[in-house]
């Protein structure tokens, strides 16, 4: 990331660290703290770059503002294979190098390649319960994946969007790209709401049944066999990526970023796309979908359930009491539904893309906070 890529919003701080003994290479990006301290997950992957982490930190700035909670955008990344036997040593080296930043400027969390046990290691390395959120329940943490906060919020966003579009959720055909923590929880909640999941995928492949998949059965298979669960249904197997293109009412990309480009958008047959993953759709693809009458609920609106739970966890870091899961889920549902309705209504009123409407709302909130703190550029 070059200095010319910095803009009026940030980033405020980019800290790169390394450790010659373990081979660790990492980066912390604090994007904007006008509305509160920087907060975002910590990612571990072989392909981590400074530009990628900066991009994700900016998403967090808008996500916190859009959900109207008082933290700012930040993200951290470690360039390492999370399956490596040296993961713990690399993680400890990373947080040691950032001991002057964690938790004073940044509180570590969970993202790709990181687990609850890793969050506990971060707390242990720095000897501070405030150093990380996402730790196991046994250490007072919020069990994000167990209660399925992000996926639950995505499902509530789907339900709210369908209601606004005048379509019932009961009987709506849904395709899920991704059947990890987000996709699994979304499938579970959508099944409760009466939707019909007709396709899903994991890193091992995809399955499709136009008459509907048995969601409780697939939840059990996923729990027992992980991503390999899709290999247990050869009659329903379809090529990887086909789950994006099946005939359905709702498509939920809930795996990785940059999966829907313009050519793919031209082949999508859903009427509603609700982004469970971060940045799954390119700007050109969003415009192409809008031209075809396909509504897209953007990522930082639909998948912000995780930040709601993180806000509870941040508040409880030094408390002897665990946050109440029921209170978390109720707040997630209320926030996701209200923001989905607000953004889609504003999009319809102004004739702009939902992402544009959402960005305007988030930017207005951040700009107001910057003005109140005296952070806006002086007029010349």
């Amino acid at each position: 990331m070059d200095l010319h890529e910095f803009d009026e919003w940030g980033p405020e701080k980019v800290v790169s660290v390394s450790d010659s003994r373990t081979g660790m290479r990492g980066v912390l990006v604090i994007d904007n703290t006008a509305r509160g301290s920087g907060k975002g997950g910590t990612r571990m992957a072989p392909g981590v770059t400074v530009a990628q982490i900066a991009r994700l930190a900016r998403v967090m700035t808008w996500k916190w503002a859009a959900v109207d909670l008082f933290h700012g955008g930040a993200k951290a990344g470690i360039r390492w294979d999370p399956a490596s036997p040296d993961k713990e040593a690399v993680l400890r080296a990373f947080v040691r190098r950032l001991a002057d930043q964690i938790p004073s400027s940044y509180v570590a969390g969970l993202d790709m390649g990181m687990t609850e046990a890793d969050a506990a290691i971060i707390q242990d390395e720095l000897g501070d319960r405030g150093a990380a959120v996402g730790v196991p329940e046994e250490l007072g943490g919020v069990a994000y994946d167990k209660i399925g906060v992000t996926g639950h919020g995505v499902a509530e966003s789907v339900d709210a969007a369908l209601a606004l579009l005048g379509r019932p959720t009961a009987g709506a055909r849904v395709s899920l790209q991704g059947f990890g923590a987000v996709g699994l929880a979304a499938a579970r909640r959508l099944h409760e709401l009466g939707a019909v999941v007709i396709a899903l995928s994991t890193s091992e492949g995809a399955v499709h049944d136009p008459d509907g998949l048995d969601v409780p059965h697939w939840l059990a298979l996923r729990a027992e066999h992980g991503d390999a669960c899709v290999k247990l249904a050869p009659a329903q197997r379809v090529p990887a990526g086909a789950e994006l293109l099946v005939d359905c009412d709702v498509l939920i990309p809930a795996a990785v970023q940059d999966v829907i480009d313009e050519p793919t958008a031209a082949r999508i047959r859903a009427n509603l796309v609700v982004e469970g993953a971060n940045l799954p759709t390119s700007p050109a693809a969003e415009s192409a979908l809008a031209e075809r009458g396909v509504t897209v609920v953007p990522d930082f609106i639909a998948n912000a359930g995780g930040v709601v739970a993180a806000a509870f966890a941040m508040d409880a870091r030094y408390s002897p009491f665990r946050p109440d899961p029921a209170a978390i889920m109720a707040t997630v549902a209320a926030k996701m539904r209200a923001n989905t309705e607000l953004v889609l209504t504003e999009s319809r009123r102004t004739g702009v893309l939902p992402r544009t409407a959402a960005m305007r709302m988030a930017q207005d909130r951040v700009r107001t906070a910057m003005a109140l703190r005296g952070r806006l550029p002086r007029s010349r």
Side-chain angles (χ1 to χ4, degrees):
M1 184 180 189
D2 295 326
L3 289 174
H4 74 269
E5 296 178 78
F6 289 37
D7 59 24
E8 62 182 304
W9 310 106
E12 296 173 6
K13 184 185 296 185
V14 179
V15 183
S16 297
V17 294
S18 65
D19 179 72
S20 58
R21 192 173 71 84
T22 61
M24 180 275 296
R25 302 288 185 273
V27 63
L28 166 65
V29 178
I30 307 291
D31 186 59
N32 188 296
T33 61
R35 285 174 54 90
S37 59
K39 182 70 193 85
T42 306
R43 171 171 294 199
M44 180 181 285
V48 161
T49 66
V50 175
Q52 177 194 73
I53 298 303
R55 185 184 182 196
L56 293 169
R58 177 59 52 82
V59 170
M60 292 307 303
T61 294
W62 306 140
K63 190 175 289 189
W64 282 113
V67 80
D68 203 19
L69 293 172
F70 291 95
H71 283 293
K75 205 80 174 181
I78 308 168
R79 186 184 293 176
W80 196 260
D81 182 355
S84 164
D86 297 322
K87 180 183 186 180
E88 181 179 331
V90 167
L91 181 58
R92 287 184 182 273
F94 176 72
V95 297
R96 280 198 305 273
R97 288 285 190 265
L98 287 174
D100 61 335
Q101 305 292 326
I102 301 174
S104 59
S105 296
Y106 173 72
V107 175
L110 304 184
D111 195 83
M112 185 184 298
M114 295 285 286
T115 68
E116 292 179 349
D118 297 324
I121 290 295
I122 294 171
Q123 287 190 354
D124 181 72
E125 182 62 31
L126 297 183
D128 189 339
R129 282 188 65 198
V133 294
V135 297
E137 283 184 284
E138 293 82 358
L139 294 179
V142 176
Y144 299 99
D145 292 350
K146 181 179 177 181
I147 62 178
V149 287
T150 303
H152 186 88
V154 169
E156 294 290 344
S157 180
V158 169
D159 191 43
L162 286 173
L164 202 63
L165 295 171
R167 301 168 188 167
T169 299
R173 298 165 303 142
V174 180
S175 178
L176 280 157
Q177 183 184 58
F179 200 47
V182 177
L184 185 149
R188 183 171 59 223
R189 179 57 178 154
L190 287 166
H191 178 70
E192 293 171 354
L193 294 170
V196 181
V197 177
I198 63 167
L200 59 85
S201 69
T202 75
S203 61
E204 299 288 339
V207 292
H208 173 227
D209 186 339
D211 296 324
L213 298 167
D214 183 344
V215 171
H217 174 68
W218 278 96
L219 294 176
L221 286 179
R222 178 64 176 78
E224 184 176 356
H225 300 284
D227 284 356
C229 64
V230 294
K231 295 182 177 181
L232 303 178
Q236 297 174 321
R237 289 286 296 274
V238 292
E243 71 279 5
L244 293 171
L245 308 175
V246 298
D247 185 11
C248 60
D249 300 305
V250 183
L251 172 63
I252 303 175
V256 295
Q257 62 194 57
D258 300 323
V259 293
I260 302 177
D261 55 16
E262 202 168 0
T264 303
R267 301 170 62 197
I268 284 174
R269 291 190 278 174
N271 299 309
L272 173 66
V273 176
V274 178
E275 296 184 328
N278 287 327
L279 305 168
T281 312
S282 73
E286 281 197 52
S287 296
L289 288 168
E291 289 174 5
R292 295 178 49 217
V294 179
T295 299
V296 179
V297 181
D299 48 5
F300 65 97
I301 297 298
N303 71 10
V307 305
V308 175
F312 276 89
M314 286 287 286
D315 204 38
R317 282 178 297 150
Y318 296 109
S319 172
F321 300 101
R322 291 187 181 90
D324 178 13
I328 294 173
M329 297 302 264
T331 305
V332 166
K335 286 280 190 184
M336 298 310 100
R337 298 185 71 87
N339 273 3
T340 299
E341 292 168 5
L342 178 63
V343 165
L344 294 186
T345 299
E346 184 65 10
S347 168
R348 185 180 293 175
R349 184 185 73 82
T350 57
V352 300
L353 293 175
R355 180 174 295 275
T356 302
M359 284 290 289
R360 287 176 179 173
M361 177 179 70
Q363 288 179 348
D364 283 347
R365 289 172 177 171
V366 175
R367 186 178 289 109
T368 297
M370 292 174 70
L372 290 170
R373 291 177 180 269
R375 295 188 181 184
L376 292 181
R378 292 194 182 104
S379 57
R380 297 180 181 179

